[in-house]
Every structure is written in structure tokens, then in C-alpha cells.
Amino acid sequence: MVICLYGASSQNIHPDYTAGVEAFGREIGRRGHTLLFGGGDKGLMGAAARGVKAEKGRVIGVAPRFFDADGVLYPHCDEFVYTDTMRQRKQILEDRADAFAAVPGGIGTFDELFEILTLKQLGRHAKPVALLNLRGYYDPLLDLLERAIREGFLKEECRDLWAAFSDGAALLDYLETCRDRPRFMK
């Protein structure tokens, strides 16, 4: 399975995030899956890639050429796809992935996560989407989504668009066994 990972490039984060995502990457590699990610060497993107490679797993990076500067991109990818724009990058990630995992991150991670959830809601794909909720990072977001359902901004069925886990092995179990429900839009 090709797992697209969305996550932070920042290094100024609690070390528990880095350790947790590197362990998640190791589990991806141990299980024989391929990591597809934004190509970053730093932060949680780099931690995931290092974890996968530590288990001799396959890593595919995708990034715009303007990120190709010293120390920005992970240098040990098995394959690297360069794009001209961020939009092209997101399209390649979407097209090549069998499943999506969001680890903690900032605006870029939120953008990618919400776009892939929106496309799933619109029936443009039926791939599993899961959040690795380390240190309760995604608790406020999950609360907001529940409020959006209670207030009528999202349908009840939208809960089926994602799943959240505090444990990387449980998240991978979900991705490996998820059989998505019918699409919402026709």
C-alpha cells in the first residue's frame, strides 16, 4: 500500500511528536508499505521518512523545484518527483496514494487534510483518511468537526470520512482493513 503522509516540516516542536512519527514510519516500513510524502527532510516529514528507511522501506518524495535547496528535501528517497507548483504536488500525492495519514502539522497539513476530506465527501475518491492524534494534537479539530455536525454544517455521515488514532499501529491496522462506505455525492 502507498500511504500518503501529511505533516509538519517544523523542527520547533515537542520531541514526543518526532519520536511518535518516526515510530509510525518504522511501522510503515516493517509492514512493507511505501511512504509517499511532501519530501521534506525536517520536522515530522523527515521523521517519518527516516523511520521507513530504518526498516528498509520505500520512500517517495514529491515537492516543487523551489524547495530544492540545501537541507530542505529528504536526500534518501527511492524516488523523487519534482513539480512546478504546490497544486501539482498535491495532485500527484492524491493520485499515487492508496490511503492518507495526517500527523500533527500546521497550515500546509491542514490544507492538504481538508482538501482530501472534501474530495472524499464529494465522491472524487474513496480512500481511507486517518489522523495520528499524538499528544491530543487533533482533539480541538475533532471537537470542531463534531460541533459542525451538531450545528448542521456537516451531515452525520461525514464522521465516516476520517478516523483518528493515538497509536500508529492502530492507524495502520485501520488503513489496511478499511472498506469505505458509499460516496456521499452522486
Side-chain angles (χ1 to χ4, degrees):
M1 176 182 349
V2 176
I3 300 170
C4 176
L5 181 130
Y6 301 133
S9 60
S10 175
Q11 299 181 98
N12 300 320
I13 55 177
H14 195 284
D16 288 354
Y17 291 120
T18 305
V21 172
E22 188 165 338
F24 179 55
R26 285 181 175 274
E27 190 67 17
I28 290 170
R30 266 193 294 279
R31 294 189 190 198
H33 300 305
T34 296
L35 174 68
L36 175 69
F37 76 123
D41 188 36
K42 306 292 187 247
L44 300 185
M45 281 194 282
R50 286 188 300 279
V52 171
K53 292 306 279 185
E55 296 296 329
K56 309 289 190 264
R58 183 167 164 72
V59 174
I60 303 169
V62 182
R65 287 208 178 275
F66 60 81
F67 281 153
D68 193 8
D70 287 344
V72 174
L73 299 177
Y74 182 70
H76 306 292
C77 290
D78 297 288
E79 178 185 350
F80 210 101
V81 179
Y82 288 98
T83 64
D84 293 323
T85 68
M86 293 292 282
R87 289 183 191 274
Q88 290 171 336
R89 172 199 204 181
K90 291 195 300 185
Q91 187 67 58
I92 290 168
L93 293 172
E94 176 191 339
D95 291 344
R96 293 188 64 175
D98 297 312
F100 301 90
V103 299
I107 291 173
T109 302
F110 300 148
D111 170 54
E112 292 164 329
L113 173 61
F114 276 105
E115 182 169 338
I116 212 65
L117 287 173
T118 299
L119 292 170
K120 187 172 181 179
Q121 180 185 21
L122 294 174
R124 307 314 302 164
H125 76 86
K127 301 171 185 179
V129 179
L131 291 80
L132 186 55
N133 192 20
L134 298 172
R135 295 175 50 92
Y137 182 79
Y138 280 115
D139 287 351
L141 175 62
L142 295 167
D143 290 344
L144 177 62
L145 291 169
E146 283 300 318
R147 181 173 180 183
I149 291 169
R150 282 193 316 274
E151 298 283 342
F153 292 100
L154 291 174
K155 295 178 182 177
E156 294 272 338
E157 306 87 58
C158 286
R159 280 191 192 97
D160 296 333
L161 294 173
W162 67 85
F165 302 89
S166 59
D167 175 73
L171 187 154
L172 285 173
D173 290 344
Y174 169 78
L175 295 182
E176 291 170 345
T177 61
C178 182
R179 300 295 176 260
D180 273 342
R181 294 173 172 83
R183 297 175 178 169
F184 297 142
M185 301 290 289
K186 299 201 184 327

